[in-house]
């Protein structure tokens, strides 16, 4: 597998060349995970420092450009012979008047437009209680995941949140397991009936359950923060990759980033690739995985694209 640019960004948002490891002959599937996190209702975009956009200043992100960037990333993956899977690591809620007025329905509409296929619950999804979170999940229409959330005593959410979801992509079985920070009851308003369980114990149980059905590539969709994800990767066996959120960490192969894309942690039985895409819709991540018949990753490449003002606006139908 030769080094090459990720066309989603080269054509649309100026993504640098990804660092690709040579793929052994046993790779049987090629998949791209398109990912973002912590959008925080920034439909109009944000400046580089996270502040609101002002006239005459460069503005990053925004819903119209984000939709276009995801579409371009998926088309680029398809052109390279890769299947794609679009993931959101949580915290769509809270951050602008769009959320104040629509209470998550504007975010759900944009997620449907860019084609989210699985989402981890973030703590901010509970800022206005479980009933509001339930309304949003029902509007989203995609799997919402949190393996460490017990919803059985909360009628509004019972049955709406899954521990994990299975996907078939390019001949590979990919299991996406969701995790939410255990701190949610102290930083949001989930109400008295939800139980937030230890995320590492829940992850270990979910990995065993997911692998019981046969070979799989296991991806954690984690709203816990970069440091917590690194600790989990080092201690829990059976995890192939972590798509993270919550800490707003920029992992990219460029100066000034908190780490490379991906950060690779030696787990108990395999290397674990960790990615995270900053926050506020300013970045879009892509993690390329070459997968063997047993589900193990035999090669990878990744980078983070800045969604800049040079990216054309996409027409959105909502």
């Amino acid at each position: 597998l030769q080094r090459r640019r990720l066309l989603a960004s080269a054509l649309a948002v100026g993504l640098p060349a990804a660092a690709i490891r040579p793929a052994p002959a046993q790779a049987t599937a090629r998949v791209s995970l398109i990912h973002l996190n912590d959008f925080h209702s920034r439909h109009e975009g944000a400046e580089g420092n996270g502040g609101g956009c002002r006239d005459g200043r460069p503005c990053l992100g925004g819903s119209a450009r984000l939709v276009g960037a995801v579409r371009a990333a998926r088309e680029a993956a398809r052109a390279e012979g890769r299947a794609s899977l679009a993931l959101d690591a949580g915290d769509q809620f809270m951050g602008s008047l769009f959320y104040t007025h629509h209470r998550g329905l504007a975010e759900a509409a944009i997620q449907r437009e860019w084609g989210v296929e699985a989402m981890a619950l973030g703590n901010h999804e509970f800022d206005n209680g479980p009933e509001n979170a339930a309304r949003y999940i029902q509007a989203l229409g995609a799997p919402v995941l949190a393996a460490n959330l017990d919803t059985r005593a909360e009628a509004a959410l019972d049955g709406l949140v899954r521990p994990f979801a299975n996907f078939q992509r390019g001949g590979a079985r990919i299991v996406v397991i969701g995790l939410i920070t255990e701190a949610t009851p102290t930083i949001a308003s989930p109400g008295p009936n939800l139980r937030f369980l230890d995320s590492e114990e829940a992850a270990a149980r979910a990995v065993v359950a997911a692998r019981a059905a046969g070979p799989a590539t296991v991806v954690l969709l984690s709203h816990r923060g970069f440091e917590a994800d690194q600790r989990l990767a080092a201690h829990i066996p059976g995890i192939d990759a972590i798509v993270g959120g919550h800490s707003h960490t920029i992992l990219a192969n460029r100066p000034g980033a908190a780490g490379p894309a991906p950060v690779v942690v030696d787990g108990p039985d395999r290397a674990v690739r960790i990615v995270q895409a900053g926050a506020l819709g300013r970045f879009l991540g892509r993690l390329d995985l070459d997968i063997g018949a047993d589900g193990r990753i035999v090669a990878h490449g990744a980078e983070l694209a800045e969604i800049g003002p040079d990216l054309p606006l996409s027409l959105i139908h909502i």
Side-chain angles (χ1 to χ4, degrees), residues 6-177:
L6 301 181
L7 296 183
S9 322
L11 295 179
V13 283
L15 185 66
I20 304 289
R21 296 181 177 180
Q26 66 264 32
T28 59
R30 303 172 71 232
V31 179
S32 293
L33 305 182
I34 312 299
H35 63 94
L36 70 152
N37 55 275
D38 297 275
F39 180 69
H40 286 300
S41 192
R42 295 302 180 93
H43 297 284
E44 293 182 309
E47 291 190 4
N49 62 5
C53 295
R54 290 174 287 177
D55 289 344
R57 299 282 295 271
C59 189
L60 304 178
S63 290
R65 289 190 172 94
L66 175 61
V67 169
V70 174
R71 290 173 178 171
R74 297 187 109 160
E75 179 57 36
R78 184 163 44 248
E80 296 171 17
R82 292 185 177 276
S84 63
L85 181 61
L87 304 174
D88 188 321
D91 268 8
Q92 280 280 323
F93 283 17
M94 194 60 72
S96 78
L97 290 175
F98 287 96
Y99 176 75
T100 303
H101 182 74
H102 296 289
R103 289 290 193 264
L105 296 186
E107 288 68 60
I110 296 302
Q111 288 175 284
R112 292 195 305 269
E113 189 72 11
W114 61 254
V116 64
E117 295 178 86
M119 176 181 170
L121 278 175
N123 51 284
H124 278 287
E125 270 68 75
F126 290 104
D127 282 347
N128 290 95
E131 293 83 5
N132 188 67
R135 185 181 71 143
Y136 163 75
I137 292 170
Q138 291 169 327
L140 185 64
V144 173
L145 311 174
N148 63 320
L149 180 63
D150 184 346
T151 64
R152 289 174 294 179
E154 177 50 71
L157 282 171
D158 191 28
L160 292 181
V161 181
R162 314 181 198 177
F164 58 84
N166 286 276
F167 298 91
Q168 294 290 332
R169 288 293 186 276
R173 175 174 169 254
I174 300 176
V175 181
V176 180
I177 298 170

Side-chain angles (χ1 to χ4, degrees), residues 228-301:
D229 288 342
Q230 291 178 92
R231 291 194 299 270
L232 187 150
H235 293 115
I236 306 299
I239 298 166
D240 296 290
I242 300 177
V243 175
H246 187 52
S247 55
H248 298 194
T249 306
I250 298 173
L251 298 179
N253 301 316
R254 62 167 68 104
V263 169
V264 181
V265 174
D266 289 330
D269 64 340
R270 68 194 68 207
V272 183
R273 289 88 176 159
I274 302 176
V275 292
Q276 193 174 148
L280 311 183
R282 297 175 297 166
F283 304 95
L284 182 68
R286 176 173 160 181
L287 175 61
D288 285 352
L289 303 176
D290 288 359
I291 300 169
D294 61 356
R296 285 182 178 262
I297 297 170
V298 298
H300 70 256

